[in-house]
């Protein structure tokens, strides 16, 4: 995955050090230098067929760099190779002959993909002194980027300490004191420096460094597990400052910070034109977006400043200018005003429709406000109340109602949490069918079985304690979002593998959808029991519905509306057999939903073929002309039915209509339909079929006409399914 | 907002609902239900006009003597509004109705009324997604004997052709219901158990009920909820609320001159810049083809690019809509004051895909309620929506609606949605945890809280901006007398605050503004709206340079920084100052130190 690109002079990131040095002191949150040991001492696999320390180290360093790139923090990163073939560092320059085999691969700069690409592919045959490397790193952290203020400084050392540093204790102590003074933190990743297996003099020194500089240490495995997922770019907490007012005279200065908000991981994608040769963004072509306003009456373009607002009301357009502006609402100044306090149970999840959640703290550095807010929080908790406030975000913004709920957070935040709730205008007033009727009663045994399931699938004990730090699965606000992670994965993959097709979500992401194995195992027995206790029957029509969703056919339109109609009107009530209740005169006219059925019912009601002919032909025409998805079976079936009916008594009705209809089809260039009519033998009724017919023959082969007559149903079924298949495959 | 989310809420429906409101005015002089029904209906129509809904609504009076208004020559019906989207004209016509505008029939016939309704539906030119009849009537006067059987027959005909009949019992008191209506109700309820509708006398309540009955009832998704392998139940996902601002989107834009409606199109063009020496060459513009589009992001100093097709794949590679049970957790883990992310959904069972779903759903509901547990699921509502983890929390009567079973679907925030609040640059928090509140202070605070206690109802606040907008439009569109008085429900009556002891509060807790006075520069920088960074500066060096008159050695940004750092009262904005002026300012303000 990671490949070597020779060179190393073109490493400077244009947004990196070059710019930094020309600016006034820039604040950088974190400066990190990774010291990666690539010497002979790390080249051998630790276990047979396993990865060498070098390979693991390189992978881990790559992951750290990738994570730093993706999180887009104000972080600088430098890389030092320990045990490199060449020597390239300031200390060696100052005192030639020292700090050998230590190469500053990249200066401190914003992390780039080329840092990963430039990591060596193979270990060297040299060896380097890790203590010297620490000094080189420290020197570079201190002096490498002038005019920059780095808040936190870190050195990550990845070596197996198999090359002794041979340094006097005095020097070590001096170095540690220096590190402490400068605020450098030394982290060691790779070996378990607390395991007895690895114990030697150097590891002991390493421990000293970690402990004295308040650093951290972890093995490669642990680190890789910790870095399994990307960290998205952090958003700075920006306060919304306002006075929380209770009545006209009490005003407590507070600040609200957004705590939870649903935001896409990439807020806005930039667009460019693809250069067809290079498949990358074109430098000579750009995108121009232009908003055009068109007058719908005369289709002319209207200039933007000639546009006024208006409202549609009762099918009439009312220009805004006509409205009395003095009647428009004035929300007033930016404010947060208490309306009242109510029992906390009155505010439920269903009331909330705000966008995310904010925490309200007393204003910084205002001790009195902090005291008052703390008192308010405690009293609200004790009385089990929450506040209801009216918030105007900024002067003149529409007011919104919020609940202010007391919180004592796990982070020891003592504050009020603020969430928007609905206005009356936003309640949809939906009605649902009743379910508390006998038919839907569940028995005790069934409920008990679900209770067993709940016990078996308790996610708070999803993992064995020995395996993980935490036994809870899907911890709230701690799980990563599969979709966000996948997008970041794709970005990292594309950067390192330009031109290659994007991968499917990796297993670590797919796992986020899976029931933990222990839960799965525990629930197996109960689920079997559940299946026995409940009768669940699939309703078959489902498949048909699914297909119809994609069509725009008139016929389906009807059908769709009738199904959704059932959704709406019958809701979730069981279907009762309507046929038993059906009266013949319930059908008023022939529709496109069940034309044959409608026809038969109306006919039973005493109507004759000639009475119904117009309705029937209208239905057929609308089914065919309005059809877009190519499934004509219902229309053709209806035609067949109609033809058969006419065949018995009045062939002229059918023949006359068919003549017009065919002309119409030709005009509309619906040759496929004409072909289908021929194929299904829906041609004129011949004199040979009924003596009343005036049509003697038609060009098509008529030898199978009688077959058609005797086995209409069979033919229908066969052909319709073939037609179906034909169009389904298209 | 994420564009995918937008698509989530796009309704996928065909046709519009058709509703016929039938108001019984037979023997109105005795009971006068007309007035209540009339007010409620007017309000309903008005609300539909306000929201520009596309519902087709007809209003008819029945039990009348006239015939002239009915298209179909049905004597006992007076058609006031035809079955279409209500217009201003319709509304005005309805509004002008009074008990004197009709004559009561001598005998009460219902069958023709129902027949008339079915005719109206049949003649409606619009594609109707649902058809329902809402009857506003008392239930004590049955049709004349000869008409009873035909009426019941008509009713079942209507039901058979998928027309709903909903009966609203209008009366301000309880009374004995005629046995005829029991039969009628049974038919209307498709032969199922039915509940006799309670009498309602309040026009607001009637309006609310009619809103419920005329609601589209569109689901965000209909899914098979996988409890475990081979054990699915049919469920629908709904939103019971609109998102804030969703009511506002009905604005239209007009041409200033002709008042004609204006539509806006965003044209996307590809512009080619010819790299010729000729400076007069105009850039060429051609329409952009989607496949030519690249999406990119800057990461690690490089442009990471994706094609349009890849973008689609990236957005959701996780497959079709689904809902799957992952396990259960105690209900207390989902506390809204900590984890509210966004508006939830509501889960309700249906039998359309799997029969028996409701029973299983209810058993799960009961089990969760009894054990105070919530179900944790993965949910993906639409093809193009992201999979989310949700908690199903059993709910009863959400928003005071008449819903007896269902789950609130609560979004679990992912770690990506939670922001770190790095407020530790002060000692605020430490101090917070140690601080001890005095009893006297608590007593006062509690007094205030108790004084301001209210009973919250979900429908107690109306959006004042929206309401006043409606009134402004209506003042223009309708007669002035029609304008309802506007009452801003979001502002509490000032009288409620009269009894709180704010003077004592100020004495015990205040004054709060003291700090602000001490640090005017804070106020200055926050009011200018710009965040100004103030880093520590080397004061020794500054003093040395001040002494040696070497302030000129600083760079312009450093000078500005010094001035900000020094927290000078009434410091002007520094943009646009020349270096010399800045140096002078430093000498002026900093020499005192």
């Amino acid at each position: 995955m990671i490949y070597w690109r020779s060179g190393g002079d073109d490493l400077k990131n244009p947004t990196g050090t070059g710019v930094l040095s020309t600016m006034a002191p820039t604040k950088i949150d974190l400066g990190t230098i990774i010291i990666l040991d690539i010497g002979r001492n790390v080249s051998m696999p630790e276990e047979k067929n396993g990865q060498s320390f070098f390979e693991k180290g390189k992978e881990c360093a790559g992951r750290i760099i990738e994570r730093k790139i993706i999180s887009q923090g104000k972080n600088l990163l430098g890389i030092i190779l320990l045990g490199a073939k060449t020597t390239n560092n300031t200390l060696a320059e100052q005192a030639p002959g020292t700090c050998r085999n230590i190469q500053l691969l990249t200066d401190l700069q914003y992390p780039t993909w080329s840092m990963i690409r430039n990591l060596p592919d193979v270990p060297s045959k040299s060896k380097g002194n890790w203590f010297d490397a620490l000094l080189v790193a420290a020197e570079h952290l201190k002096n490498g980027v002038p005019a920059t203020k780095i808040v936190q400084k870190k050195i990550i050392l990845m070596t197996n300490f198999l090359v002794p540093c041979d340094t006097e204790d005095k020097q070590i102590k001096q170095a540690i004191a220096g590190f402490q003074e400068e605020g450098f933190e030394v982290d060691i990743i790779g070996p378990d420096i607390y395991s007895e297996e690895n114990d030697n003099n150097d590891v002991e020194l390493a421990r000293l460094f970690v402990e004295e500089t308040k650093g951290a240490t972890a093995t490669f495995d642990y680190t890789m597990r910790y870095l399994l997922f990307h960290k998205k770019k952090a958003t700075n907490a920006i306060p919304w400052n306002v006075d929380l007012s209770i009545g006209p005279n009490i005003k407590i200065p507070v600040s609200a910070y957004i705590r939870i908000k649903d935001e896409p991981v990439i807020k806005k994608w930039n667009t460019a034109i693809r250069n067809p040769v290079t498949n990358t963004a074109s430098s000579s072509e750009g995108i121009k977006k232009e908003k055009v306003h068109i007058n719908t009456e005369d289709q002319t373009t209207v200039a933007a400043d000639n546009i006024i607002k208006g409202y549609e009301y009762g099918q009439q357009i009312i220009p805004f200018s006509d409205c009395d502006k003095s009647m428009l609402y004035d929300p007033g100044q930016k404010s947060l005003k208490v309306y009242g306090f109510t029992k906390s149970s009155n505010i439920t999840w269903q009331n909330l429709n705000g966008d995310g959640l904010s925490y309200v703290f007393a204003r910084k550095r205002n001790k009195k406000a902090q005291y008052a807010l703390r008192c308010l929080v405690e009293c609200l908790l004790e009385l089990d109340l929450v506040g209801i406030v009216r918030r105007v975000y900024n002067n003149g913004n529409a007011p919104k109602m919020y609940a202010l709920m007391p919180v004592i957070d796990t982070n020891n935040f003592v504050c009020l949490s603020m969430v928007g709730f609905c206005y009356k205008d936003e309640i949809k007033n939906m009605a649902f069918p009743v379910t508390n009727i006998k038919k839907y009663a569940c028995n005790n045994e069934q409920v008990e079985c679900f209770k067993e399931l709940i016990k078996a699938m308790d996610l708070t004990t999803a993992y064995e304690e020995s395996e993980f730090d935490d036994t809870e699965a899907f911890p709230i606000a701690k799980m990563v979002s599969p979709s966000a992670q996948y997008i970041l994965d794709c970005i990292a993959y594309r950067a390192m593998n330009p031109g290659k097709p994007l991968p499917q979500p990796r297993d670590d992401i797919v796992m986020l959808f899976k029931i933990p194995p222990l839960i799965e195992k525990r629930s197996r027995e109960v689920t079997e029991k559940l299946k026995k206790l409940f009768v669940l029957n699939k309703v078959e029509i489902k498949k048909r519905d699914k297909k119809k969703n994609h069509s725009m056919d008139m016929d389906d339109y009807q059908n769709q509306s009738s199904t959704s109609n059932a959704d709406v009107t019958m809701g979730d009530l069981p279907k009762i057999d309507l046929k038993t209740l059906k009266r013949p005169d319930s059908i008023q006219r022939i529709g496109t939903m069940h034309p044959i059925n409608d026809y038969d019912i109306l006919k039973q009601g005493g109507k004759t073929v000639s009475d119904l002919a117009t309705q029937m032909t209208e239905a057929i025409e609308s089914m065919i002309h309005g059809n877009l998805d190519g499934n004509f079976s219902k229309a053709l079936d209806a035609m067949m039915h109609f033809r058969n009916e006419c065949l018995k008594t009045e062939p002229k009705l059918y023949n006359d209509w068919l003549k017009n209809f065919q002309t119409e089809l030709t005009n509309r260039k619906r040759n496929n339909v004409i072909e289908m009519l021929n194929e299904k033998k829906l041609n004129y009724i011949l004199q040979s079929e009924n003596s009343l017919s005036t049509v003697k023959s038609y060009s098509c082969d008529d030898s199978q006409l009688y077959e058609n007559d005797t086995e209409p149903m069979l033919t229908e079924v066969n052909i319709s399914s073939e037609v179906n298949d034909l169009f389904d495959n298209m | 907002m994420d564009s995918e989310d937008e698509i989530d809420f796009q309704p996928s429906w065909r046709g519009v609902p058709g509703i016929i409101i039938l108001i019984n005015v037979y023997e109105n002089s005795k009971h006068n239900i007309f007035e209540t029904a009339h007010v409620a209906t007017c309000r309903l129509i008005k609300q539909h006009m306000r929201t520009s809904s596309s519902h087709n609504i007809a209003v008819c009076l029945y039990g009348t003597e006239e015939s002239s208004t009915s298209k179909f020559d049905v004597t006992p019906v007076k058609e006031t509004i035809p079955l279409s989207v209500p217009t201003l004209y319709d509304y005005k016509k309805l509004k002008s109705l009074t008990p004197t505008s009709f004559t009561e029939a001598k005998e009460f016939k219902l069958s023709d009324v129902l027949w008339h309704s079915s005719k109206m539906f049949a003649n409606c030119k619009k594609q109707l997604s649902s058809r329902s009849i809402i009857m506003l009537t008392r239930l004590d006067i049955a049709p004349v004997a000869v008409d009873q059987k035909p009426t019941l027959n008509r009713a079942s005909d209507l039901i058979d052709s998928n027309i709903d009949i909903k009966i609203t019992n209008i009366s301000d008191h309880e009374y004995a219901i005629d046995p005829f209506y029991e039969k009628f109700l049974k038919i209307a309820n498709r032969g199922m158990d039915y509940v006799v509708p309670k009498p309602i006398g309040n026009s607001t309540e009637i309006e609310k009920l009619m809103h419920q009955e005329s609601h589209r009832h569109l689901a965000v998704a209909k899914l098979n909820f996988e409890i475990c392998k081979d054990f699915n139940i049919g469920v629908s996902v709904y939103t019971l609320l609109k998102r804030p601002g969703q009511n506002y989107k009905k604005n239209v834009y007009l041409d200033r001159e002709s008042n004609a409606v204006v539509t806006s199109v965003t044209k996307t063009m590809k512009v080619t810049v010819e790299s010729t020496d000729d400076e007069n060459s105009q850039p060429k513009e051609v329409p952009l083809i989607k496949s030519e589009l690249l999406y990119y992001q800057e990461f690690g100093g490089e442009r990471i690019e994706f094609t349009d097709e890849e973008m689609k794949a990236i957005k959701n590679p996780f497959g079709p809509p689904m809902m799957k049970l992952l396990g259960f957790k105690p209900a207390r883990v989902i506390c809204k004051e900590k984890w509210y992310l966004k508006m939830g959904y509501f889960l309700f069972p249906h039998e359309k895909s799997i029969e028996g779903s409701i029973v299983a759903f209810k058993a799960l509901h009961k089990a969760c309620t009894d054990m105070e547990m919530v179900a944790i699921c993965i949910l993906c509502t639409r093809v193009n929506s992201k999979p989310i983890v949700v908690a199903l929390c059993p709910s009863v009567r959400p928003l005071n609606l008449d819903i007896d079973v269902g789950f609130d679907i609560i979004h679990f925030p992912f770690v990506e949605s939670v922001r770190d609040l790095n407020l530790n640059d002060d000692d605020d928090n430490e101090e917070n945890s140690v601080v001890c509140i005095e009893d006297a202070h608590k007593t006062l605070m509690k007094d205030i809280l108790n004084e301001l206690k209210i009973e919250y109802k979900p429908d107690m606040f109306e959006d004042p901006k929206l309401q006043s907008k409606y009134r402004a439009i209506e003042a223009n569109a309708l007669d002035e007398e029609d304008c309802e008085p506007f009452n801003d429900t979001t502002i509490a009556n000032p009288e409620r605050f009269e009894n709180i002891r704010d003077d004592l509060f100020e004495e015990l807790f205040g004054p709060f503004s003291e700090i602000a006075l001490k640090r005017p520069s804070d106020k200055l920088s926050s009011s200018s709206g710009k965040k100004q960074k103030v880093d520590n500066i080397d004061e020794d060096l500054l003093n040395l340079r001040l002494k040696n008159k070497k302030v000129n050695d600083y760079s312009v940004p450093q000078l500005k920084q010094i001035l900000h750092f020094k927290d000078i009262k009434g410091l002007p904005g520094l943009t646009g100052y020349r270096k010399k002026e800045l140096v002078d300012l430093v000498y002026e303000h900093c020499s005192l130190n």
Side-chain angles (χ1 to χ4, degrees), chain B residues 454-465:
Chain B
I454 53 161
E455 198 49 47
Y456 169 77
K457 292 253 166 15
D459 60 355
M460 74 189 285
F461 298 107
E462 284 184 314
D463 184 345
K465 195 177 172 194

Side-chain angles (χ1 to χ4, degrees), chain A residues 69 113 117 232 249-251 259-263 266 268 270-274 281 284-286 288 290 292-296 305-306 308 310-311 313-317 322 329 339 341-342 347 350 353-354 356 366-368 370-371 374 378 382 390 417 419 424-426 428-429 431-432 435-436 451 457 459 472-474 477 479 481 485 494 513 531 536-537 539 551 557 561 565 567 569 572 576 581-582, chain B residues 14 52 85 88 127 129 160 164 190 212 215 217 222 229 239-242 244 247 251-252 254 256 260-261 263-265 267 269 271 273 285 288 291-292 294-297 299-300 302 305 310 328-329 336-338 340-342 348-350 352-355 362 370 378 403-404 408 412-413 415-417 419 428 431-432 438 441-442 446 452-454 461 463 467-468 474 476 488 490 496 502 505 510 512 522:
Chain A
I69 295 173
W113 301 105
R117 292 186 200 116
K232 86 164 197 183
N249 300 321
I250 300 177
K251 291 183 192 312
R259 169 67 171 164
I260 295 183
K261 194 172 184 207
D262 187 29
E263 286 169 311
I266 300 291
K268 194 173 176 292
N270 302 309
T271 48
I273 303 278
R274 183 168 56 94
S284 63
E285 290 172 320
K288 187 177 148 192
E290 201 181 4
V292 187
H293 306 281
I294 294 160
N295 181 326
T296 46
D305 50 0
N306 261 334
I308 53 168
Y311 302 111
Y313 189 84
Q315 310 292 297
Q316 270 184 34
I317 302 294
D322 290 5
Y329 186 69
Y339 182 94
F341 297 91
T342 192
I347 300 283
Q350 301 124 10
N353 70 345
N366 190 331
K367 291 277 182 297
K368 290 205 162 172
Q370 280 160 12
Y371 181 82
R374 171 99 195 187
E378 285 185 13
E382 281 166 32
R390 173 186 189 271
S417 126
V419 180
K424 182 187 178 187
D425 319 60
E426 288 153 0
K428 280 188 180 173
N429 275 321
F432 289 86
T435 58
N436 52 359
K451 285 185 181 169
M457 294 183 81
L459 292 169
E472 184 175 348
F474 307 107
M479 323 163 258
S481 153
Q485 291 295 324
R494 177 53 46 94
F513 296 101
K531 284 175 203 169
L536 292 168
N537 293 320
V539 179
S551 71
Y557 208 84
S561 70
N565 185 11
D567 288 350
T569 55
D572 306 309
I576 49 165
L581 290 164
K582 200 159 252 175
Chain B
R14 289 171 180 218
S52 304
V85 181
L88 257 179
Q127 179 74 44
S129 64
D160 288 354
D164 275 358
R190 294 167 200 277
Q212 283 178 22
H215 196 274
H217 202 275
K222 296 200 169 190
K229 201 167 175 287
T239 52
L240 296 180
L241 295 176
K242 293 177 189 171
N247 278 322
N251 284 357
V252 288
L254 309 175
R256 191 187 294 276
V261 178
T263 54
S264 301
V265 202
K267 267 202 222 162
M269 305 294 282
V271 186
V273 187
E285 283 187 28
L288 180 72
S291 61
E292 290 180 308
L294 275 186
Y295 293 87
Y296 71 91
Q297 278 297 316
F299 270 99
E302 291 171 27
E305 296 167 341
E310 283 171 333
F328 296 88
K329 286 192 184 192
K336 56 181 174 298
E337 58 269 31
K338 283 185 197 162
Y340 172 80
L341 175 68
K342 58 183 197 176
F348 196 81
H350 70 83
K352 278 186 64 65
S353 58
I354 294 157
E355 275 174 20
K362 287 180 80 173
D370 289 356
I378 190 116
I403 307 173
D404 49 25
D408 291 326
F412 260 39
V415 68
E416 287 89 350
S417 311
R419 293 194 189 175
D428 284 8
E431 209 132 304
N432 256 338
E438 280 174 45
H441 293 172
K442 270 197 176 174
K446 283 185 183 173
L452 297 175
K453 228 159 116 177
I454 53 161
F461 298 107
D463 184 345
Q467 289 296 326
S468 47
E474 277 159 11
N476 185 275
D488 190 345
T490 63
R496 287 190 31 234
D502 39 22
F505 187 91
F512 296 116
D522 250 12

Side-chain angles (χ1 to χ4, degrees), chain A residues 252-255 360-366 369-371 373, chain B residues 428:
Chain A
I252 309 171
V254 295
S255 302
V360 178
F361 295 91
R363 193 76 49 80
K364 260 188 196 172
R365 290 188 290 269
N366 190 331
Q370 280 160 12
Y371 181 82
L373 198 88
Chain B
D428 284 8

Side-chain angles (χ1 to χ4, degrees), chain B residues 160 225 414 424:
Chain B
D160 288 354
F225 176 19
F414 288 117
N424 48 6

Side-chain angles (χ1 to χ4, degrees), chain B residues 258-323:
Chain B
S258 61
N259 272 352
V261 178
V262 169
T263 54
S264 301
V265 202
T266 307
K267 267 202 222 162
T268 312
M269 305 294 282
K270 182 170 90 171
V271 186
T272 313
V273 187
E274 302 269 343
S275 56
T276 51
D277 298 331
D278 184 11
E279 283 187 8
N280 296 329
S281 70
Q282 287 288 314
K284 261 196 283 178
E285 283 187 28
V286 280
L288 180 72
I289 305 163
K290 263 213 158 167
S291 61
E292 290 180 308
L293 209 56
L294 275 186
Y295 293 87
Y296 71 91
Q297 278 297 316
E298 297 253 358
F299 270 99
E302 291 171 27
R303 268 193 186 185
I304 317 294
E305 296 167 341
F306 299 99
T307 63
D308 187 55
E309 223 167 278
E310 283 171 333
M311 273 311 281
K312 269 183 213 144
I314 288 174
K315 291 258 169 95
N316 188 10
F318 301 105
M322 53 121 177
M323 182 165 187

Side-chain angles (χ1 to χ4, degrees), chain B residues 163-231:
Chain B
I163 297 172
D164 275 358
I165 304 177
K166 287 158 183 170
I167 295 135
T168 310
N169 182 358
I170 301 195
S171 167
D172 40 20
H173 57 273
E174 295 275 351
Y175 58 91
I177 287 171
D178 190 281
F180 165 80
Y181 282 103
E182 283 168 21
K183 288 182 210 155
F184 192 79
L185 279 165
K186 185 153 182 157
I187 291 169
N189 215 11
R190 294 167 200 277
M192 306 262 304
D193 303 352
Y194 65 91
V195 188
V196 176
K198 281 201 187 74
I200 317 176
N202 177 331
S203 61
T204 325
E205 285 301 305
I206 297 167
E207 186 205 348
K208 196 172 155 190
L209 204 67
M210 286 200 285
H211 273 299
Q212 283 178 22
E213 282 164 351
S214 63
H215 196 274
R216 270 177 198 284
H217 202 275
L218 292 167
V220 176
K222 296 200 169 190
L223 302 163
N224 287 343
F225 176 19
E226 186 183 326
I227 307 264
C228 60
K229 201 167 175 287
D230 302 322
F231 190 87

